Every structure is written in C-alpha cells, then in structure tokens.
DNA sequence: TTCTATTTGGACCGAAACAGTACTGTTTCA
DNA sequence: TGAAACAGTACTGTTTCGGTCCAAATAGAA
C-alpha cells in the first residue's frame, strides 16, 4: 500500500511531543500524553535510542530526550530509523533482481528513490508541528501535472 | 521498509516493454522478453487491466496493450494500481488513529503524502525508459538539505 | 455451426513481514 | 538497599504479499 509502518507514525508523534518540553520524559508519561499504548511507545523509543535520535537516561528519574532540536530531524531520518533504509525497489545498488539482464531500465529506480528521499528529507518534525511545510518548501516542490492516467484507482 | 512491492517493480518493467510495440502481447511473450516468471507477469497484467492501465483482449490471439502512451502513465499511477492508494499513515482523511485526539499534529500527514504523491506523479514511464527524469524535472525538485540528523541508520 | 486452442479472469493457499506483548537484566537515584 | 526506568530479547497473533491453480470467454479452424 506504500504506507509507512504504524510504528513510524507513533515515532513522529512521540518525538514532536518530546520536543515540546526540554526535559527528560519517561515512556509512561509519553504514553499518557500521546494516547499511544504504553508498551508500544516504549518499543518505539527504544529503537529511536539505538539510532541516536533520542538520548536515553537510565535508572530512576530517567527517561528520554531529543538528541537534536525538532528543526534538525527530518521525516526521512525517522523513517529510516524505524523502517530501515528507504529503497523503493529490490533492484538497487547491490539488490538482486530476477530480471536484471532483460529488464532494460537498468538503474532507473535509483532516480525514483532519490526523488522520494528528497521529498521526505525536506520535511522536518518542526514543520509537522507548526504546519509550515508548504511555506518552507515554497509549494511542495515540483508542480506534478495531476496524477496522469489516474484511473481513479482509489480502491 | 518503505519499499514498494515487487509486483509494482514488475509492473513497471512489463509496461515499459509493452509500450515498445504497439500491438497486443500475451503474458507468455512478455514473460520471455522481460525475464519475469510467467505466472507473476500474468497476475500483474490482470491487476493493471482491472485498473484500466492496460486493455485486455480475451480469447485466442488475445493479449494486452497499453491504454495510454507511456508519456501519460506516471509511476504514481502504477503504484496506486498495484499497491493501492498512496497514504503513508493510517490517520488520513477517514482513517482511524488511536491517538487522534491527543496527537496534536492533526492532518499534517496529508502534507507528507502530497509531497510523495507529487514526486511520484512527476515521473512517467517514458522517463524511466529514456532516462530523462532529471531533464524533465530540472534536477529532482527541491534541493533537500542533506538527510538531516542522518544517524546513518543504514542498518 | 461446432469444436478446440488460446488467453484472460477470479479464487485460493502458503510464506513472510509486522505489530504488539511479555519477561529478564542492567543502571541510576533517593 | 530498594524502587524506578531503560535495554534487550524472545514470543505470538495478525495481516499482507507473492505465487499457484482452475474456471470463463473469445477467435479461429474444421
Ligand atoms: S527491475 Fe530490477 S533490474 Fe530492472
Ligand atoms: S498520528 Fe494519527 S491522528 Fe495524529
């Protein structure tokens, strides 16, 4: 469905919430303030900690805090942290593709990947919080001439 | 992993191949010329047919042909046909999200979705075939200030 | 006209990835 | 020393995905 995992969704919510106070916050507290079930938010935070996006403080009175200001954390970074690398297709770089020899459109996918990566890298968590995405980008990048073909395919 | 399904990958390959001859082609033929396993390419074509991207002709001497020229079929359209709608998160439009009330960043995801949709809509199958993506877009849209934060997260 | 070869159409099934949960161990502060 | 909080791992149920199989339809030949 080309949708990012629910975990990533939660991660963004949690991170934005974290960025609102500049102090360590525990998983239970974050769970209550975000509405995300506690075990889940804990898992997400753990992953983000290993990826260096949040800094953890163990022990009593411990918790998590952002490793960078919201302005410096891009959506792409969060997605990569949770879901792994952003490569749309299997046939990139060292990827294996059954049809490699006959396919014809060799590494064209890399271009598509780059396009998406760029789109996601241009949006920061601060933008998510402040609703300023359009401003910063000056209008969502390239015009995009409608969806083309668009067999309304909304099914 | 934010990767699109292998089926979509195959779909693009098959469609580009289809666009090279302006005549009906059968699944077995396409399978041989693309290297994609026959049952799989058949399935892909079937889906594309229901979505109106290719036109099917049943019976003996039947096969498939493109419903539009390659220039008018965007990557986004193909993805939507195979993988369903492009909505990165569960909490869009009518989507359900557990944390709706407390999350704070209401419909901000819609913006992200739009960004991706635009990036994908700007690339057509003809671009894939001719390697002219960069030309048409004048440089992949917005600069994208590095990945930001980029905890190399390539794991 | 009938029959058959050919090709698409739709249903089915097994495998893999994902989300969520639970438990145990380690660290820190009061 | 004890409680609080994170770290890591392992397990389980569910969903999605990739692949296979059989039935309906059409064109052409007999
Ligand atoms: S689609 Fe994989 S090599 Fe072309
Ligand atoms: S993340 Fe779902 S409503 Fe905000």
């Amino acid at each position: 469905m080309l949708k990012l995992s629910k975990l990533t969704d939660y991660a963004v919510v949690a991170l934005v919430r974290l960025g609102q106070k500049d102090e360590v916050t525990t998983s239970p507290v974050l769970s209550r303030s975000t509405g995300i079930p506690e075990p889940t938010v804990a898992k997400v935070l753990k992953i983000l900690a290993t990826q260096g996006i949040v800094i953890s403080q163990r022990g009593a009175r411990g918790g998590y805090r952002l490793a960078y200001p919201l302005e410096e954390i891009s959506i792409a970074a969060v997605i990569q942290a949770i879901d792994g690398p952003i490569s749309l297709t299997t046939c990139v770089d060292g990827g294996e593709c059954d049809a490699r020899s006959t396919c014809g459109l060799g590494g064209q996918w890399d271009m598509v990947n780059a396009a998406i990566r760029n789109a996601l890298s241009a949006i920061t968590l601060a933008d998510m919080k402040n609703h300023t995405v359009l401003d910063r980008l000056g209008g969502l990048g390239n015009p995009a001439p409608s969806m083309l073909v668009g067999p309304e395919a909304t099914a």
Side-chain angles (χ1 to χ4, degrees), chain A:
Chain A
M1 218 234 285
L2 190 53
K3 70 172 181 43
L4 48 77
S5 64
K6 208 181 293 186
L7 274 302
T8 307
D9 191 345
Y10 291 154
V12 172
V13 176
L15 285 172
V16 170
R17 192 53 59 103
L18 254 186
Q20 288 176 345
K21 305 191 223 303
D22 190 20
E23 55 188 39
V24 285
T25 313
T26 71
S27 302
V29 169
L30 242 87
S31 168
R32 275 187 292 277
S33 80
T34 58
I36 304 170
E38 204 248 309
T40 302
V41 71
K43 181 176 191 172
V44 169
L45 270 291
K46 263 183 280 193
I47 298 174
L48 292 176
T50 68
Q51 301 298 320
I53 293 188
V54 298
I55 295 181
S56 65
Q57 176 63 34
R58 293 170 72 140
R61 302 219 19 169
Y64 296 95
R65 67 189 165 81
L66 290 182
Y68 308 85
L70 286 179
E71 290 79 14
E72 294 179 13
I73 304 178
S74 72
I75 298 288
V78 179
I79 295 178
Q80 285 208 356
I82 303 286
D83 276 353
I86 299 178
S87 356
L88 289 206
T89 56
T90 44
C91 62
V92 278
D93 309 310
E96 276 309 302
C97 186
D98 309 343
R100 188 119 227 164
S101 53
T102 47
C103 138
L105 35 99
Q108 280 307 296
W109 281 111
D110 292 341
M111 220 102 66
V112 180
N113 290 333
I116 296 218
R117 248 190 298 259
N118 283 4
L120 291 175
S121 297
I123 304 178
T124 71
L125 293 183
D127 292 326
M128 292 289 285
K129 172 184 158 200
N130 302 325
H131 301 210
T132 57
V133 187
L134 291 178
D135 298 344
R136 278 212 325 104
L137 299 186
L140 271 185
N142 296 97
S146 80
M147 185 72 81
L148 283 178
V149 158
E152 41 270 271
T154 324

